[in-house]
DNA sequence: TCCCAGGCTTGGT
DNA sequence: ACCAAGCATGGG
């Protein structure tokens, strides 16, 4: 039984909000460390800190009791419903329980149990996964942090008890990135990806609805991927990641170096993704997490 | 020094 | 349609 408040008192202009879920539904460590998001950090004491939109949030996961897990957040209760939606708690993951899985898939799913596919901001997801190409996760996180410092809006949340302040940055809007310019982007360590991001920031700023249009349920994952791949710097893998993580097209199955290793190692070089149906992306996350 | 990282573009067959 | 090289950057 963990001390629920220990390490979870950095900020106090919040009304602590708690919620409970059955064990196995949400594991925040797996969810935030599985490579789908880059702005959540482990700050100790089973607590993660992150930024969603203009809000700084801490969440702590406690040990299960009687099959239930308690979570504490620093988020005002009025936002709890939105936060649960962000965490993907409303998504039905039962489909994978009803299909035949290989021994490897059962092992991967078991290890990854509790991973949720987050409902992240579309623009942030587009930029993040353009940065991710030919890059490793620690450096992606560093680059994105530098980008937020350079072009995002600086925010502060204050602890009136001990007087300390926590500074954080919103993820820069398309316009903020355009204003930063290509050279400003390159100073964030983005390398050749800087011009890709600059170009798509111009497009997104001019016509955001062109992008949000694919949030519609009538747009398939493949249609979304085809649209995204028309932009310079977005190929099949990045497009699949944006469709899966930014548009929540849960049937998409991004193939990166780790997944192709799994395909070589456990599928004799040939995987049938159709078996996973509408939750192929979730199985992809289990496999990715297993391989890492 | 070389190798690798949640790949993509370009230019050759 | 497929293949190889080049690409910026930073960590091991």
């Amino acid at each position: 039984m963990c001390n629920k408040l220990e390490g979870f008192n950095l900020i106090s202009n919040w009304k602590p909000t708690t919620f409970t879920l059955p064990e196995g539904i949400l594991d925040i460590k797996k969810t935030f460390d599985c490579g789908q998001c880059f702005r959540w950090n482990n700050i100790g004491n089973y607590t993660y800190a992150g930024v969603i939109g203009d809000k700084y949030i801490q969440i702590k996961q406690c040990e299960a009791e009687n099959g239930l897990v308690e979570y504490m957040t620093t988020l005002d209760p009025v936002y709890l419903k939105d936060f649960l939606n962000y965490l993907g708690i409303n998504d039905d993951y039962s489909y994978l329980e009803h299909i035949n899985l290989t021994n490897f898939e059962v092992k991967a799913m078991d290890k990854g149990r509790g991973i949720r596919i987050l409902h992240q901001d579309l623009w942030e997801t587009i930029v993040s996964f353009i940065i991710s190409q030919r890059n490793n996760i620690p450096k992606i996180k560093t680059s994105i942090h530098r980008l937020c410092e350079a072009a995002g809006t600086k925010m502060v949340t204050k602890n009136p008890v001990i007087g300390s302040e926590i500074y954080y940055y919103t993820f820069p809007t398309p316009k903020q990135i355009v204003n930063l310019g290509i050279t400003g982007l390159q100073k964030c360590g983005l390398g050749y990806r800087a011009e890709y991001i600059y170009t798509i920031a111009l497009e997104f700023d001019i016509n955001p609805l062109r992008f949000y249009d694919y949030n519609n349920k009538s747009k398939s994952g493949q249609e979304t991927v085809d649209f995204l791949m028309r932009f310079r710097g977005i190929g099949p893998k990045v497009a699949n990641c944006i469709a899966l993580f930014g548009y929540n097209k849960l049937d998409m199955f991004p193939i990166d170096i780790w997944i192709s290793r799994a395909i070589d190692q456990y599928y004799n070089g040939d995987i049938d993704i159709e078996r996973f149906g509408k939750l192929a992306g979730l199985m992809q996350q289990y496999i990715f997490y297993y391989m890492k």
Side-chain angles (χ1 to χ4, degrees):
Chain A
M1 178 70 196
C2 59
N3 181 340
K4 289 177 183 172
L5 287 174
E6 184 192 347
F8 193 66
N9 54 1
L10 290 175
I11 55 179
S12 57
N13 59 342
W14 47 274
K15 306 166 189 171
T17 305
T18 67
F19 61 95
T20 59
L21 294 168
E23 195 174 4
I25 299 291
L26 167 65
D27 184 305
I28 63 169
K29 179 172 174 52
K30 295 177 192 173
T31 297
F32 293 142
D33 287 340
C34 72
Q36 63 173 317
C37 57
F38 306 103
R39 295 198 73 200
W40 283 96
N41 294 303
N42 190 336
I43 58 172
N45 297 106
Y46 310 95
T47 305
Y48 278 74
V51 178
I52 304 176
D54 61 354
K55 292 180 178 53
Y56 172 88
I57 300 169
Q58 291 183 7
I59 177 170
K60 178 171 188 171
Q61 178 170 337
C62 298
E63 287 177 30
E65 269 184 85
N66 304 322
L68 288 176
V69 183
E70 186 174 14
Y71 305 85
M72 303 181 60
T73 87
T74 60
L75 197 61
D76 189 296
V78 300
Y79 300 115
L80 180 58
K81 190 178 171 187
D82 291 336
F83 187 47
L84 291 176
N85 185 61
Y86 171 86
L87 293 169
I89 301 303
N90 301 320
D91 296 327
D92 182 5
Y93 285 177
S94 62
Y95 181 79
L96 289 183
E97 313 284 345
H98 303 315
I99 62 175
N100 288 326
L101 298 174
T102 65
N103 291 339
F104 166 69
E105 287 157 4
V106 170
K107 270 170 43 182
M109 196 160 100
D110 203 45
K111 182 175 177 182
R113 195 174 306 282
I115 291 177
R116 308 300 300 189
I117 294 185
L118 300 170
H119 291 225
Q120 301 186 70
D121 176 76
L122 174 59
W123 171 243
E124 177 172 342
T125 305
I126 290 172
V127 176
S128 296
F129 280 93
I130 290 175
I131 292 173
S132 79
Q133 65 182 262
R134 186 78 191 263
N135 216 333
N136 57 49
I137 290 177
K139 182 157 177 290
I140 297 165
K141 294 182 76 166
T142 302
S143 294
I144 291 174
H145 181 69
R146 289 168 68 181
L147 175 61
C148 293
E149 281 185 327
T153 302
K154 189 172 186 178
M155 311 287 285
V156 60
T157 185
K158 193 168 184 178
N159 182 336
V161 177
I162 54 176
S164 65
E165 292 177 328
I166 295 172
Y167 292 94
Y168 64 99
Y169 295 83
T170 62
F171 192 88
T173 63
K175 195 177 289 294
Q176 284 175 318
I177 285 181
V178 169
N179 290 339
L180 186 62
I182 292 180
T183 53
L185 286 165
Q186 284 169 336
K187 287 178 185 167
C188 302
L190 302 182
Y192 62 88
R193 306 164 191 87
E195 65 168 294
Y196 299 158
I197 292 166
Y198 180 81
T199 305
I200 202 167
L202 282 174
E203 297 282 341
F204 201 107
D205 183 48
I206 291 167
N207 191 357
L209 291 183
R210 184 178 166 210
F211 291 83
Y212 289 122
D213 192 31
Y214 289 84
N215 274 322
N216 195 301
K217 293 283 185 190
S218 68
K219 301 285 190 180
S220 72
Q222 191 55 52
E223 283 178 289
T224 309
V225 164
D226 292 342
F227 162 69
L228 291 166
M229 282 182 59
R230 296 209 294 267
F231 294 92
R232 251 176 71 88
I234 299 182
K237 191 271 174 183
V238 169
N240 271 270
C241 281
I242 296 169
L244 176 57
F245 302 127
Y247 286 99
N248 229 53
K249 308 289 185 188
L250 297 184
D251 56 327
M252 302 319 288
F253 194 93
I255 297 178
D256 72 330
I257 182 81
W258 296 97
I259 296 295
S260 60
R261 275 172 200 166
I263 294 173
D264 288 343
Q265 197 170 340
Y266 297 103
Y267 297 89
N268 290 323
D270 184 28
I271 189 171
D272 177 17
I273 295 162
E274 303 298 318
R275 287 193 302 121
F276 309 133
K278 58 184 179 182
L279 286 183
L282 179 62
M283 180 55 77
Q284 191 272 4
Q285 279 305 101
Y286 290 148
I287 296 173
F288 180 81
Y289 184 73
Y290 183 89
M291 298 300 292
K292 288 287 286 182

